[in-house]
DNA sequence: GCTATAAATGAAAGCGCTTACATTTTAAAT
DNA sequence: ATTTAAAATGTAAGCGCTTTCATTTATAGC
């Protein structure tokens, strides 16, 4: 593999000049620029980005932490980020944290060690202190789906509480009075917020929240099924179930079918996230739209603006959820 | 951030010794080793992996090319690879090629430029020549889901033809005689092979393949719906449809419901891949299991063995598809 | 043509590591 | 104690770039 040195030799100029045309930095006369470009083409020269990084302390890559590499939610998020950054010639290094504090921290440190210019983090398990410390270490980063007051401007988030509110309000408007709820893991911020929204909507409608109608799932499909089983056995009668994400809602619908409960005529179901296949379930799932693609794109834009000094980018940090009404929820009769 | 130099100073040893304990290479006396470790801990030293890579020409990272960052198939593949490599302290850099020759090539060159020690490629669009050339450039890589004779031992693949055969055979055994087929893009190798399997199964059963019953989709859900529309309008009567992947099968089922066609009583549907939510569709989808997680893991193992010299790993390159019978296919009456 | 200034180029010092080779220390053998 | 080989450690030369600063060359003004 050709090095910058060979290029400079072939072009009859110095290392520095070659480096300059690569970065089209300072003025290089057009004549020498052409010579260099020609030499590069001739040698099929490709700069060694490791060497570039070491010398410049810039890697042109941004690190991304997701909880899981699979799953429609993170897939969309990664796509959005990579699409956006690639347009500007930046690269994406992806790691997963599996919602585990230890692993999240290890991943973040890896990315830092890899000299990423900035990080985009969907960090769920790591403490606020750790993140605050990151800032004081001078690390550039942005948080997706997490809110920390002192880091407010670095937080790209959805108003989860509002989302939870909308989902529940929708069912109440349809006449439902006995609402079951399957939440995400309560230690997760978004799960808490969605549940808060649910409670608020109940309160506003004059309905008391009943702990017995609430099951804590883990955001996996299977816990939706498990949740429905548990509710059928332990909870008072209910006519609908609000799920903290679509995966669990899907689990609920599948289990309901197995139990011979018709959705939506006997049981209305509402999800959260509007993942791609919510629209392919049967019945199609009423849900709260989580504009994760847009948010991923926005996180990338934030980095482009703050770190790579692209101007003219408007950063918007709080996104508003939208109710997406489909077939899984109908009027209570 | 502390450097190796500061560690060596604090520990009162040379650079080389510090480097040695990091790589626990040559013998270092236990006493000095402890001194160094202590100094590292004290300084919170983290080796700069960029510098390591430049000096050693080893990055401890492997590059992965997928077609899309989202979607259940690639998600599982990425997860498998990252899980396996991380256990050995290797890191994963992921890029996407969007099934486009230009972009696939750009991604691969990026990974090479990034000095990945090896590549795991799900390359669909790039030519055989390019891949062969990669080998002669001395790049270490393994191919997932692609077969090139001269690169045979680098190909981790599924017997797609056999899969296509099984799907079709299953329906024939159920008594179906008029089978429609929705293929993937015909330029893709796996789509061709699956179709071949389909034709073979027809032939073996003494049924003529009818071009008019075959629609070329693009592996997206929407093209399943479009395919069904097209078939209903242009094709002779059929009692079932074989789809070259689950996404299109899901599109078919959704569209069938909209058209008032009952699945499976009026139309049996079979998919391919056994993606995670095939089991959550309604009706649950009969499909061909594609052990992509195992294959991703195997690709990673191949790299560990060939490049990182881990012994005792058995590499198996051809995987066998399995028919997964669920509710979307029933006997023809 | 000669000086003043700007523009283009080159020389060389790193960036933070690894590693071949040289040197010193330790242990074993006599 | 002395010699010898082996083990431990140190020295220093890169890896392929970027970037500061010095130097050369071109441009302009008189």
């Amino acid at each position: 593999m050709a090095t910058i040195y060979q290029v400079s030799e072939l072009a009859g100029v110095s290392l520095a000049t070659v480096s300059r045309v690569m970065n089209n930095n300072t003025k290089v006369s057009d004549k020498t620029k052409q010579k260099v470009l020609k030499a590069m083409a001739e040698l099929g020269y490709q700069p060694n980005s490791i060497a570039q990084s070491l010398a410049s302390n810039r890697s042109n890559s941004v690190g991304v932490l997701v909880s899981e590499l699979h799953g429609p939610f993170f897939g969309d998020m990664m796509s959005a980020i990579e699409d956006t950054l690639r347009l500007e010639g930046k690269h994406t290094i992806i790691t997963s944290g599996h919602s585990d504090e230890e692993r999240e921290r290890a991943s973040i440190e890896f990315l830092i060690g890899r000299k990423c210019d900035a990080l985009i983090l969907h960090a769920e398990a790591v403490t606020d202190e750790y993140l605050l410390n990151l800032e004081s270490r001078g690390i550039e980063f942005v948080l997706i789906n997490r809110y920390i007051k002192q880091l407010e401007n670095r937080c790209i988030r959805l108003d989860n509480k509002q989302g939870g509110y909308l989902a529940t309000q929708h069912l109440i408007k349809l006449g439902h009075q006995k609402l079951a709820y399957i939440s995400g893991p309560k230690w997760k911020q978004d799960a808490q917020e969605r549940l808060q929204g649910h409670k608020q909507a109940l309160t506003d409608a004059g309905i008391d929240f009943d702990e017995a109608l609430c099951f804590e799932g883990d955001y996996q499909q299977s816990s939706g099924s498990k949740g429905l089983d548990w509710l059928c056995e332990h909870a008072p009668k209910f006519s609908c179930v609000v799920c903290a994400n679509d995966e669990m809602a899907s689990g609920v619908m599948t289990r309901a079918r197995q139990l011979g409960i018709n959705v939506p005529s006997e049981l209305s179901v509402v999800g959260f996230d509007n993942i791609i296949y919510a629209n392919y379930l049967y019945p199609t799932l009423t849900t709260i739209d989580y504009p994760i693609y847009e948010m991923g794109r926005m996180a990338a834009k934030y980095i482009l603006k703050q770190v790579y000094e692209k101007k003219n980018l408007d950063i918007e940090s709080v996104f508003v959820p939208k109710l997406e009404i489909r077939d899984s929820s109908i009027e209570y009769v």
Side-chain angles (χ1 to χ4, degrees), chain A:
Chain A
M1 191 130 245
T3 74
I4 197 176
Y5 190 77
Q6 301 171 39
V7 174
S8 79
E9 197 167 7
L10 184 64
V13 298
S14 72
L15 283 197
T17 303
V18 177
S19 176
R20 282 182 191 109
V21 351
M22 279 172 47
N23 303 293
N24 51 280
N25 256 359
T26 333
K27 297 272 178 185
V28 180
S29 80
D30 219 56
K31 202 172 51 184
T32 55
K33 187 170 178 175
Q34 294 313 321
K35 278 197 301 191
V36 172
L37 257 20
K38 182 157 165 286
M40 283 179 171
E42 215 161 294
L43 292 170
Y45 172 72
Q46 290 290 129
N48 177 325
S49 63
I50 299 278
Q52 285 179 314
S53 298
L54 183 61
S56 67
N57 208 27
R58 257 292 168 84
S59 62
N60 280 319
S61 62
V62 350
V64 176
L65 172 71
V66 296
S67 298
E68 303 295 339
L69 255 18
H70 54 248
F73 185 85
F74 294 111
D76 280 351
M77 176 177 146
M78 294 186 285
S79 281
I81 293 171
E82 210 226 359
D83 289 351
T84 308
L85 291 177
R86 181 167 279 246
L87 283 178
E88 300 294 335
K90 310 302 176 194
H91 298 292
T92 310
I93 299 181
I94 297 170
T95 58
S96 60
H98 300 277
S99 304
D100 175 80
E101 184 174 0
E102 197 60 44
R103 296 176 77 171
E104 282 188 3
R105 211 175 328 118
S107 291
I108 293 173
E109 295 299 332
F110 162 66
L111 293 171
I112 294 171
R114 215 84 193 68
K115 283 276 172 290
C116 289
D117 299 330
L119 308 181
I120 297 177
L121 308 175
H122 189 285
E124 304 183 303
V126 110
T127 63
D128 284 6
E129 286 67 43
Y130 177 79
L131 263 4
L132 286 166
N133 184 45
L134 226 48
E135 183 173 54
S136 51
R137 282 162 72 185
I139 309 283
E140 276 294 347
F141 66 96
V142 49
L143 262 22
I144 289 190
N145 195 32
R146 178 156 179 172
Y147 177 69
I148 298 177
K149 193 146 200 296
Q150 302 98 306
L151 262 25
E152 187 153 19
N153 58 328
R154 292 183 188 279
C155 297
I156 307 283
R157 62 208 165 93
L158 182 75
D159 188 338
N160 278 299
K161 184 171 174 188
Q162 175 66 7
Y165 189 93
L166 287 174
T168 298
Q169 187 192 41
H170 164 67
L171 289 166
I172 293 172
K173 278 185 181 166
L174 287 173
H176 294 272
Q177 293 281 327
K178 307 286 183 192
L179 298 84
Y181 191 86
I182 298 184
S183 82
K186 296 238 173 93
W187 63 269
K188 292 194 185 183
Q189 199 178 47
D190 56 1
Q192 280 170 27
E193 292 167 352
R194 291 173 188 190
L195 180 52
Q196 271 170 30
H198 170 69
K199 289 180 179 172
Q200 184 70 51
L202 290 179
T203 305
D204 287 2
I207 302 175
D208 284 334
F209 172 72
D210 182 354
E211 193 66 58
L213 278 164
C214 186
F215 177 84
E216 179 175 350
D218 62 5
Y219 277 154
Q220 308 287 315
Q221 226 150 8
S222 57
S223 79
S225 308
K226 247 181 287 170
L228 184 60
D229 283 341
W230 186 90
L231 288 166
C232 287
E233 193 162 337
H234 300 91
K237 214 159 165 305
F238 53 92
S239 63
C240 62
V241 38
V242 183
C243 302
N245 78 351
D246 290 348
E247 256 116 329
M248 295 192 298
S250 162
V252 166
M253 293 205 297
T254 301
R255 190 82 188 104
R257 200 147 40 224
Q258 292 164 348
L259 295 172
I261 302 172
N262 185 279
V263 174
S265 69
E266 295 174 77
L267 183 72
S268 284
V269 177
V270 174
F272 202 119
D273 281 349
N274 195 20
I275 56 178
I276 181 79
Y277 66 86
N279 200 25
Y280 286 87
L281 292 173
Y282 178 72
T284 55
L285 183 65
T286 293
T287 189
I288 301 297
D289 184 59
Y290 194 126
I292 184 60
Y293 193 91
E294 288 313 314
M295 288 170 65
R297 160 168 249 96
M298 187 58 70
K301 276 192 189 172
Y302 176 93
I303 298 301
L304 287 173
K305 182 168 187 174
Q306 298 297 321
V307 180
Y308 296 117
E309 286 142 2
K310 303 280 164 196
K311 306 299 176 195
N312 303 325
L313 292 177
D314 287 332
I315 304 302
E316 170 187 356
S317 60
V318 184
F319 284 69
V320 178
K322 226 174 68 240
L323 177 66
E324 192 77 43
I325 302 177
R326 300 208 184 90
D327 300 340
S328 66
S329 58
I330 59 167
E331 206 153 338
Y332 177 68
V333 285

Coordinates of all heavy atoms in Angstrom, one line a residue, chain A residues 19 48-49 62 99 124-125 142 145 151 157 178 182 194 231 234-235 244 274 282 329-331:
Chain A
S19 N 0.2 16.3 2.0 CA -0.7 16.3 3.0 C -1.7 17.5 2.8 O -2.9 17.4 3.0 CB 0.0 16.5 4.4 OG -0.9 16.7 5.4
N48 N -3.8 6.4 5.1 CA -4.0 5.5 6.2 C -4.6 6.3 7.3 O -4.0 7.2 7.9 CB -2.6 5.0 6.6 CG -2.7 4.1 7.9 OD1 -3.5 4.3 8.7 ND2 -1.9 3.1 7.9
S49 N -5.9 6.0 7.5 CA -6.6 6.8 8.5 C -6.2 6.6 9.9 O -6.4 7.5 10.7 CB -8.1 6.5 8.3 OG -8.4 5.2 8.7
V62 N -17.5 8.8 14.6 CA -18.2 9.0 15.8 C -18.7 7.7 16.3 O -19.1 6.8 15.6 CB -19.3 10.1 15.7 CG1 -19.2 10.9 14.4 CG2 -20.7 9.6 16.0
S99 N -27.9 -2.7 28.0 CA -28.6 -2.2 29.2 C -27.9 -2.6 30.5 O -28.6 -2.7 31.5 CB -30.1 -2.6 29.3 OG -30.7 -2.2 28.1
E124 N -28.5 3.7 29.1 CA -29.7 3.5 30.0 C -29.2 3.2 31.4 O -29.8 3.6 32.4 CB -30.5 2.3 29.5 CG -31.1 2.5 28.1 CD -32.0 1.3 27.8 OE1 -31.6 0.2 27.9 OE2 -33.1 1.6 27.4
A125 N -28.1 2.5 31.5 CA -27.7 1.9 32.8 C -26.7 2.7 33.5 O -26.6 2.6 34.7 CB -27.2 0.4 32.5
V142 N -23.6 13.3 22.8 CA -25.0 13.7 22.9 C -25.8 12.4 23.4 O -25.4 11.3 23.1 CB -25.5 14.2 21.5 CG1 -25.1 13.3 20.4 CG2 -27.0 14.4 21.5
N145 N -32.7 9.8 24.2 CA -33.7 9.2 25.0 C -33.3 9.2 26.5 O -33.5 8.2 27.2 CB -34.0 7.8 24.5 CG -35.3 7.3 25.2 OD1 -36.2 8.0 25.5 ND2 -35.3 6.0 25.4
L151 N -27.3 18.5 31.7 CA -26.8 18.2 30.4 C -27.9 18.5 29.3 O -27.8 18.0 28.2 CB -26.4 16.7 30.3 CG -24.9 16.3 30.5 CD1 -24.1 17.3 31.3 CD2 -24.8 14.9 31.0
R157 N -34.5 14.0 23.0 CA -35.4 13.1 23.7 C -36.8 13.3 23.2 O -37.2 14.3 22.6 CB -35.3 13.4 25.2 CG -35.8 14.8 25.6 CD -35.1 15.2 26.8 NE -35.2 16.6 27.0 CZ -36.1 17.2 27.7 NH1 -37.1 16.5 28.3 NH2 -36.1 18.5 27.8
K178 N -61.5 0.7 32.8 CA -60.6 -0.3 33.5 C -59.5 -0.5 32.6 O -59.5 -1.3 31.7 CB -61.4 -1.6 33.7 CG -62.7 -1.4 34.4 CD -62.5 -1.1 35.9 CE -63.9 -1.0 36.6 NZ -63.7 -0.4 38.0
I182 N -48.9 -2.4 31.0 CA -47.7 -3.2 31.1 C -46.6 -2.3 30.9 O -46.4 -1.7 29.8 CB -47.7 -4.4 30.1 CG1 -48.9 -5.3 30.3 CG2 -46.4 -5.1 30.1 CD1 -48.9 -6.5 29.4
R194 N -43.2 7.1 30.9 CA -44.4 6.7 30.2 C -45.5 6.3 31.2 O -46.7 6.6 31.0 CB -44.1 5.5 29.3 CG -43.2 5.9 28.1 CD -42.7 4.7 27.2 NE -41.8 5.3 26.3 CZ -41.3 4.6 25.3 NH1 -41.6 3.3 25.0 NH2 -40.4 5.2 24.4
L231 N -52.0 -10.7 34.4 CA -53.1 -9.8 34.6 C -54.4 -10.5 34.6 O -55.3 -10.3 35.5 CB -53.2 -8.7 33.5 CG -52.1 -7.6 33.6 CD1 -52.0 -6.9 32.2 CD2 -52.3 -6.7 34.7
H234 N -54.4 -12.3 38.1 CA -54.3 -11.5 39.4 C -55.1 -10.2 39.4 O -55.4 -9.7 40.5 CB -52.9 -11.2 39.7 CG -52.0 -12.5 39.9 ND1 -51.3 -13.0 38.9 CD2 -51.8 -13.2 41.0 CE1 -50.7 -14.1 39.4 NE2 -51.0 -14.3 40.7
A235 N -55.3 -9.7 38.2 CA -55.9 -8.3 38.2 C -57.4 -8.3 38.2 O -58.0 -9.3 37.8 CB -55.3 -7.5 37.1
A244 N -46.1 -0.4 27.2 CA -45.0 0.7 27.2 C -44.2 0.5 25.9 O -43.3 1.4 25.7 CB -44.2 0.6 28.4
N274 N -44.2 2.8 17.6 CA -44.5 2.7 16.2 C -43.4 2.1 15.4 O -42.9 2.7 14.4 CB -44.9 4.1 15.6 CG -45.6 4.0 14.3 OD1 -46.1 2.9 13.9 ND2 -45.6 5.0 13.5
Y282 N -51.6 -8.1 13.3 CA -53.1 -8.3 13.1 C -53.7 -8.3 14.4 O -53.4 -9.3 15.2 CB -53.4 -9.5 12.3 CG -54.9 -9.7 12.2 CD1 -55.6 -8.8 11.3 CD2 -55.6 -10.6 12.9 CE1 -57.0 -8.9 11.2 CE2 -57.0 -10.7 12.8 CZ -57.7 -9.9 12.0 OH -59.0 -10.0 11.9
S329 N -57.5 -0.8 18.8 CA -58.2 -0.2 19.9 C -59.6 0.3 19.3 O -59.7 1.0 18.3 CB -57.4 1.0 20.4 OG -57.2 1.9 19.3
I330 N -60.7 -0.1 20.0 CA -62.0 0.4 19.6 C -62.8 0.8 20.9 O -62.4 0.5 22.0 CB -62.8 -0.6 18.8 CG1 -63.0 -1.9 19.7 CG2 -62.1 -0.9 17.5 CD1 -64.0 -2.9 19.1
E331 N -63.9 1.4 20.6 CA -64.8 1.9 21.6 C -65.2 0.8 22.6 O -65.5 -0.3 22.2 CB -66.0 2.5 20.9 CG -66.7 3.6 21.7 CD -67.5 4.5 20.8 OE1 -67.1 4.6 19.6 OE2 -68.4 5.2 21.3

